[in-house]
Amino acid sequence: MIGTIRKLGRWGLGGFERLGRGHIFLFHVLMGIPSVIVRFGLLVQQMLSVGVLSLLIIVVSGLFVGMVLGLQGYNTLVDFGAEQSLGVVVALSLVRELGPVVASLLFAGRAGSALTAEIGLMKSTEQLSGMEMMAVDPVKRVIAPRFLAGFISLPLLATIFSAVGVIGGYFVGVGLLGVDDGAFWSQMQAKVDFSEDIMNGVIKSIVFGFVVTWIAVFEGYDCIPTSEGVSRATTRTVVHSALAILSLDFVLTALMFGNI
Amino acid sequence: MHNSKTVEVIVGLFVALGLAALFMLAMKVSNLSTFSGDDGYVITARFENIGGLKVRSPVTVAGVRVGRISNIGFDNTTYEAVVSMNISGDYNTLPTDTSASIFTAGLLGEQYVALEPGGDEKYLQQGGEVRLTQSAIVLEQVIGQFLYSQAEGGGDAK
Amino acid sequence: MSSNSDSNDVLVRIRDLHFSRGDRKIFNGVDLDIHRGKVTAIMGPSGTGKTTLLKLIGGQLKPDQGSIQVNGLEVPRLKLSKLYELRKRIGMLFQSGALLTDINVFDNVAFPIREHTNMPPAMVRDMVLMKLESVGLRNARDLMPSELSGGMARRVALARAIALDPMMILYDEPFTGQDPISMGVLVQLIRLLNDALGLTSVVVSHDVQETATIADDIYVLSEGKVVGHGTPQQLAETDSDWVKQFMQGLADGPVPFHYPGTQYADDLLAGSEQGGVA
């Protein structure tokens, strides 16, 4: 009994310790951002591996999600004779929710896990330690550019996801199912508000980008430097990112769109 | 490892693609291209009943969207709804005796305000008020009236 | 000890060093001096915290108690910026080499130069080639770290460690897992570089023979304490059983061959009793 309570207490303390470490780490990373801006090349290099290499999965997924939305939305709307609203359904679902959320989940799986594994391996092969001994701060040199690259890339990727998704919905709705071309776009334009819908979606993706990249670089930097430790950290990145994205999405949605 | 020039070009393309996507969402998907709401002017109208009218519902003239509802308030003394409409600056020649009605787009569609221009030579300005208004047609009332008249008509026929 | 008379001569001075990791005491009052221009070896069986000692000297870890002075500076109390200044003058060779795996040999050696100086590219190139030439790998400059053998990786790491012309190099187990040829190359390189560049070298190792051939001064650590100190000859002629066992690589002695625990006979008896019950 006492043993269980003790275990519980240790587990709780460990959790708070990690939480504290994560925030101190974040502070160091943010302090390192100015040095990244001075050395723009480092950022560009990371934008390539974090952002550009995630582009394919984002575009393909966006297209299919949009097409599925077109199909499903049409089947529901046609019962009410409101298939002209298909554009609205597709566009609103994408820019408000699916764009930021699905793009962030994919990003966590594609780029976040890669970041964790890369940093974790650098740690386990003593590369980070070696940099420290060469008087190079690894947080500034390695972590900060990756963090900034992820933070910038995800909103761009989420926006691309939404845009491609709308095009996918258009293909299915207008191209295959015969919804009126003009109605599709004009209803969409009438109902989708730039500042309220699109910008809120972008703000969501900025928040997710911050959190996912933070989790990814922290898990890598904080991992136990063995192959098992790195693999566990990679798994944790994906799981924690997904949980963070979905719970934050609820909070942000309630703040932005909910009339609570 | 890529050449650093190539990397820069690829990343530049990526950022441009992201911004292009945002531009497409702004212009093609949202209302930014049709109506920005910044350069317009606000007029108000009082209705006895606005039905299901909401903020951001469209305002039309002859079926053309010219603005949107920016605010809905309530007057505590007259018990009327005060509806503020933001009209795009492009449509600044609405006469002062314009009338406003609340209609429904289709049977289940959303409600909107339709303006009907009058013949006055003076135009509505910022803060102007539309005096002639017709309230929303509430479906229940219409059905009630219809049934009532049917019943009356039925009584006559008997 | 005549520490005061030759205090200028001592580059690293460690006094009463205590360090523990978790519940385990790793250092329990270690005193040692590393002299300028000499190759000092720190030896001891695996797990005595030799690598930890290097990290303490480099300021990556902080001791629980005691003083570590490098070049007159008290390392544990240095501010981060001062510590980084000091580290620029200390090269460290990690056991794994710790080369950056995503850039090639040339860029690895150029890394500290580019990070810490604003030299024009032509000059960086000259310097890198010079350093690579001194470890004999000038023609391997376009290889990636994954294409190098273990010995070559260590030589590249060595070239990187001397890139900024440090005053001291710390070698962490430089001979572990090397074939005889690359071992010989490394042994020679350490001595050569030390003398040619006027460095101070600290070699942490448990390879007694190789280390003894190049070291001027040897410290033997065990269980958190210095148990032997002297030149290789002095240690070879020591009368301490422990040092004798370590230096000569005897299987049994003060450090028992068997992991401590129950007696063999008792264990066998216990097994047969269980067998009897079953």
Side-chain angles (χ1 to χ4, degrees):
Chain A
M1 184 63 198
I2 294 288
T4 324
I5 294 171
R6 189 175 295 161
K7 212 176 275 175
L8 208 67
R10 194 170 299 153
W11 180 78
L13 277 183
F16 282 120
E17 192 195 334
R18 265 179 75 77
L19 198 66
R21 252 203 329 267
H23 280 84
I24 293 168
F25 173 75
L26 178 65
F27 176 75
H28 284 300
V29 172
L30 294 179
M31 296 298 285
I33 298 268
S35 67
V36 179
I37 293 166
V38 175
R39 297 186 55 185
F40 202 63
L42 287 179
L43 177 65
V44 171
Q45 193 71 49
Q46 290 309 317
M47 290 275 290
L48 180 76
S49 57
V50 173
V52 177
L53 297 183
S54 308
L55 198 55
L56 183 67
I57 185 172
I58 292 286
V59 168
V60 173
S61 314
L63 195 65
F64 278 111
V65 167
M67 285 161 70
V68 169
L69 276 177
L71 272 177
Q72 294 281 17
Y74 180 84
N75 282 337
T76 311
L77 290 172
V78 79
D79 291 344
F80 300 103
E83 64 267 26
Q84 268 85 5
S85 301
L86 184 64
V88 184
V89 171
V90 171
L92 279 186
S93 322
L94 279 166
V95 297
R96 282 183 171 187
E97 286 298 331
L98 293 173
V101 171
V102 177
S104 305
L105 290 173
L106 292 170
F107 181 81
R110 168 69 181 76
S113 59
L115 276 178
T116 307
E118 189 191 10
I119 294 170
L121 277 174
M122 286 181 87
K123 186 178 182 185
S124 63
T125 53
E126 294 184 309
Q127 293 182 48
L128 296 183
S129 207
M131 272 190 196
E132 257 179 47
M133 283 306 296
M134 285 188 278
V136 175
D137 186 351
V139 172
K140 277 188 189 152
R141 181 64 175 68
V142 175
I143 310 290
R146 284 168 172 75
F147 178 78
L148 197 58
F151 179 57
I152 296 173
S153 297
L154 183 50
L156 292 172
L157 290 170
T159 313
I160 293 170
F161 186 97
S162 298
V164 171
V166 169
I167 294 168
Y170 173 81
F171 276 147
V172 169
V174 176
L176 295 177
L177 300 170
V179 174
D180 181 61
D181 189 8
F184 184 89
W185 291 114
S186 67
Q187 290 252 2
M188 196 191 299
Q189 288 183 0
K191 280 293 184 65
V192 180
D193 187 66
F194 182 73
S195 62
E196 208 145 301
D197 295 318
I198 293 182
M199 283 324 281
N200 274 348
V202 172
I203 290 169
K204 273 187 181 181
S205 63
I206 290 173
V207 173
F208 297 160
F210 186 87
V211 173
V212 170
T213 331
W214 174 24
I215 291 176
V217 292
F218 175 66
E219 289 292 355
Y221 192 76
D222 197 53
C223 75
I224 301 159
T226 59
S227 33
E228 198 204 354
V230 174
S231 86
R232 271 207 219 149
T234 311
T235 313
R236 267 206 306 271
T237 293
V238 177
V239 173
H240 289 187
S241 297
L243 291 177
I245 290 165
L246 295 172
S247 53
L248 273 176
D249 184 48
F250 175 74
V251 174
L252 289 174
T253 307
L255 283 178
M256 289 167 176
F257 306 109
N259 299 317
I260 300 171
Chain B
M1 180 101 326
H2 299 265
N3 184 341
S4 69
K5 261 275 156 44
T6 333
V7 170
E8 280 165 21
V9 171
I10 294 171
V11 172
L13 279 174
F14 166 60
V15 174
L17 190 63
L19 294 179
L22 184 65
F23 185 74
M24 179 218 156
L25 288 182
M27 289 321 205
K28 194 84 181 155
V29 175
S30 82
N31 54 4
L32 196 66
S33 56
T34 50
F35 181 67
S36 61
D38 290 334
D39 57 342
Y41 60 102
V42 177
I43 57 175
T44 57
R46 289 163 178 273
F47 294 93
E48 275 174 26
N49 190 335
I50 57 165
L53 201 66
K54 290 189 184 68
V55 172
R56 282 178 60 211
S57 293
V59 178
T60 63
V61 176
V64 177
R65 187 187 168 107
V66 297
R68 63 177 180 181
I69 309 295
S70 59
N71 188 35
I72 295 174
F74 181 68
D75 187 328
N76 274 321
T77 53
T78 60
Y79 307 116
E80 283 173 328
V82 182
V83 174
S84 305
M85 292 168 276
N86 199 333
I87 309 292
S88 168
D90 295 343
Y91 311 101
N92 53 2
T93 57
L94 293 171
T96 48
D97 58 346
T98 296
S99 63
S101 323
I102 297 175
F103 290 140
T104 306
L107 195 58
L108 295 166
E110 65 168 345
Q111 292 189 302
Y112 65 96
V113 172
L115 298 177
E116 186 117 346
D120 203 323
E121 303 209 338
K122 276 188 267 175
Y123 301 134
L124 282 168
Q125 301 291 322
Q126 163 73 25
E129 187 177 344
V130 177
R131 305 223 173 261
L132 301 167
T133 62
Q134 189 194 332
S135 289
I137 298 162
V138 179
L139 204 58
E140 289 88 331
Q141 283 179 3
V142 176
I143 293 169
Q145 279 168 5
F146 173 73
L147 290 176
Y148 185 68
S149 64
Q150 276 294 83
E152 272 189 345
D156 286 350
K158 234 180 214 174
Chain C
M1 202 173 274
S2 57
S3 58
N4 274 334
S5 61
D6 57 6
S7 63
N8 269 338
D9 189 37
V10 177
L11 184 59
V12 180
R13 180 193 302 277
I14 294 176
R15 288 291 174 270
D16 192 34
L17 176 67
H18 288 261
F19 182 80
S20 49
R21 183 166 276 163
D23 300 332
R24 211 162 77 86
K25 267 248 176 254
I26 294 182
F27 296 120
N28 195 0
V30 169
D31 296 334
L32 53 82
D33 291 311
I34 288 160
H35 295 266
R36 270 181 220 277
K38 297 263 176 71
V39 176
T40 305
I42 294 167
M43 302 213 264
S46 314
T48 43
K50 300 185 298 289
T51 306
T52 310
L53 185 66
L54 292 187
K55 289 195 168 174
L56 283 163
I57 294 175
Q60 284 189 310
L61 296 173
K62 289 211 185 306
D64 300 337
Q65 176 188 335
S67 125
I68 301 166
Q69 285 184 4
V70 178
N71 206 18
L73 299 169
E74 183 66 36
V75 174
R77 275 190 239 125
L78 282 182
K79 275 200 265 171
L80 204 62
S81 54
K82 290 267 191 268
L83 183 62
Y84 272 34
E85 280 306 309
L86 177 66
R87 280 182 189 165
K88 284 181 198 169
R89 307 188 55 203
I90 301 177
M92 176 146 176
L93 192 73
F94 281 85
Q95 200 166 347
S96 59
L99 294 176
L100 303 176
T101 43
D102 56 344
I103 52 180
N104 65 18
V105 167
F106 182 92
D107 290 330
N108 259 295
V109 179
F111 182 81
I113 304 175
R114 286 179 180 151
E115 288 290 323
H116 293 309
T117 66
N118 281 321
M119 285 188 198
M123 225 160 125
V124 172
R125 192 185 125 91
D126 289 351
M127 267 189 83
V128 171
L129 293 185
M130 216 166 81
K131 305 295 175 190
L132 280 173
E133 175 70 19
S134 65
V135 297
L137 290 174
R138 187 172 42 79
N139 287 320
R141 61 176 177 265
D142 292 328
L143 296 180
M144 294 302 284
S146 55
E147 298 169 293
L148 300 174
S149 71
M152 279 159 81
R154 269 178 223 187
R155 278 150 73 192
V156 173
L158 186 53
R160 188 178 66 175
I162 58 171
L164 285 177
D165 294 321
M167 58 180 179
M168 174 167 71
I169 300 192
L170 311 174
Y171 296 90
D172 186 7
E173 303 281 6
F175 311 121
T176 312
Q178 298 296 306
D179 63 74
I181 300 175
S182 40
M183 183 113 83
V185 170
L186 280 167
V187 169
Q188 255 200 340
L189 265 178
I190 292 173
R191 187 74 239 185
L192 264 173
L193 287 175
N194 188 72
D195 298 346
L197 302 177
L199 299 169
T200 303
S201 306
V202 181
V203 181
V204 150
S205 177
H206 50 235
D207 295 283
V208 176
Q209 299 311 320
E210 290 73 22
T211 313
T213 54
I214 53 164
D216 299 313
D217 203 14
I218 298 180
Y219 281 89
V220 183
L221 294 181
S222 175
E223 290 172 2
K225 288 194 184 293
V226 175
V227 294
H229 170 220
T231 60
Q233 282 85 353
Q234 283 171 339
L235 285 181
E237 293 153 11
T238 180
D239 39 71
S240 152
D241 283 345
W242 198 98
V243 175
K244 198 179 280 172
Q245 186 194 359
F246 182 76
M247 295 300 284
Q248 296 173 8
L250 302 175
D252 213 350
V255 177
F257 170 70
H258 291 290
Y259 191 83
T262 56
Q263 289 294 313
Y264 187 39
D266 295 346
D267 235 4
L268 285 179
L269 279 173
S272 67
E273 271 164 26
Q274 274 176 3
V277 170

